[in-house]
Amino acid sequence: MKSHYQIAVLPGDGIGSEIMQAAEQVLRAAESRIGVKFALSYQKAGAQHYVESGVALPESTLKVCDEADAILFGAMGLPHVRGADGTEIIPQLDLRFHFDLYAGVRPIRTFKGLPTPLASPKAAEIDLVLVRESTEGLFYARGRSETRADGVYDTMQITRKGTARICEFAFKLAEQRAAQKGRPGRVTSVDKANVFASMAFWRKIFEETAAKHPGMAADSAYVDAMALNLVMKPWTYDVLVTENMFGDILSDLIAALVGGMGMAPSADIGDRHALFQPAHGTAPDIAGQGIANPTAMLLSVAMMLDWLAVRHADQALADGARAIEAAVQAAFETGIVCPREFGGTSSTADITRAVIGGL
Ligand code: ATP
């Protein structure tokens, strides 16, 4: 247990710096409540930094991230800033590969006091986590595309090690959630095992992992059926686990179920390092206006505190995470604020102030 935690902070591009300002203010408010100090080390990286310096992710930034207790990340990438192959500058992917942050954890739940995009009253019960494998899958092809005379080929990689560790992570998470919530747990694997041998292999490894966790319900679904079911009956799911590309797409879909990208936090977790960032991107369409919803970023801060709490056996940090979540919930439930995605008029500063008030 320590009294002082080092946090590498990478605000990035677009709304990244706006929501990071909110994160720092809320972290400072939590600090005084839980009696733990955070030393924030702001680092340069991102598409704008690439324009200015020719480097998207400096070595110095990597070093600070490596030495930090955790990494807080805003958002990076700008649509008009592209590399020679036409793809965007996306340092978050480099960070995932560099630090082997293989588990992309994306929890979503409905917040009382906010309208839900789904009409069913059951939408109030949505509370699920998508676990995205983040180091292989179709994203393995990034930087390895093969150009042939007839076009460009991108290869998907599904290894035994990569699949086994992400499935194991998903089952452990389901076990923790079942214990916390006092109800049975379930893991649903999302694949396309009816078409691709790589995905049939994924399913086999998933089922082998499931057999080691007999206390957890386990099932598999095809990704196309899952896209349907996540809209028709998302309240029936607990933990989902899937390969990188399917996880990328379904992450945005599940964020929409609870009101949009501004509500979806995430964590990229490895065995030694972890990075916490909202599931959304830089939102260039609303950047600079002070209207970004900071909720996803603030809930990502809570995820960071939870991860540090387990790693350092420090209950004060877990208390801080619960306090932030409760303050966010209270801000919406009491109607003090309503983000613009929900038809409200609250600015980034309004929501931040309400959460700090709650803390
Ligand atoms: P990326 O590919 O980098 O993840 P994306 O293509 O998913 O990005 P986002 O930047 O996440 O795109 O934006 C998608 C939509 O969600 C945009 O209309 C954007 O304004 C909105 N959005 C994203 N984040 C927020 C936020 N924090 N508050 C309000 N709206 C947001």
Side-chain angles (χ1 to χ4, degrees), residues 57-73:
L57 186 59
E59 279 299 323
S60 53
T61 296
L62 279 173
K63 186 166 183 293
V64 171
C65 290
D66 190 24
E67 290 165 358
D69 292 306
I71 306 163
L72 260 191
F73 188 102

Side-chain angles (χ1 to χ4, degrees), residues 220-267:
S220 292
Y222 299 133
V223 65
D224 44 341
M226 183 53 79
L228 177 86
N229 284 335
L230 278 174
V231 176
M232 301 297 285
K233 48 175 184 176
W235 44 85
T236 61
Y237 295 106
D238 179 10
V239 174
L240 308 177
V241 63
T242 191
E243 75 82 32
N244 212 337
M245 181 69 166
F246 296 163
D248 184 36
I249 297 166
L250 294 180
S251 292
D252 279 28
L253 192 159
I254 61 170
L257 297 176
V258 293
M261 300 307 293
M263 300 302 292
S266 89

Side-chain angles (χ1 to χ4, degrees), residues 291-310:
I291 59 171
N293 179 0
T295 305
M297 183 78 236
L298 302 183
L299 295 174
S300 302
V301 170
M303 290 180 81
M304 177 183 82
L305 297 185
D306 265 333
W307 182 79
L308 287 170
V310 173

Side-chain angles (χ1 to χ4, degrees), residues 54-140:
V55 182
L57 186 59
E59 279 299 323
S60 53
T61 296
L62 279 173
K63 186 166 183 293
V64 171
C65 290
D66 190 24
E67 290 165 358
D69 292 306
I71 306 163
L72 260 191
F73 188 102
M76 291 188 193
L78 294 169
H80 60 279
V81 180
R82 293 185 180 254
D85 64 355
T87 60
E88 274 189 45
I89 306 296
I90 317 174
Q92 55 270 44
L93 293 185
D94 300 311
L95 282 161
R96 283 177 202 156
F97 283 89
H98 184 85
F99 291 119
D100 201 23
L101 306 175
Y102 59 88
V105 183
R106 280 97 195 270
I108 53 141
R109 68 185 173 96
T110 305
F111 279 89
K112 285 196 199 101
L114 292 176
T116 57
L118 298 181
S120 169
K122 288 279 218 186
E125 295 166 25
I126 297 173
D127 179 4
L128 65 87
V129 186
L130 176 78
V131 178
R132 165 187 178 183
E133 201 296 319
S134 298
T135 55
E136 44 183 51
L138 191 52
F139 279 65
Y140 167 80

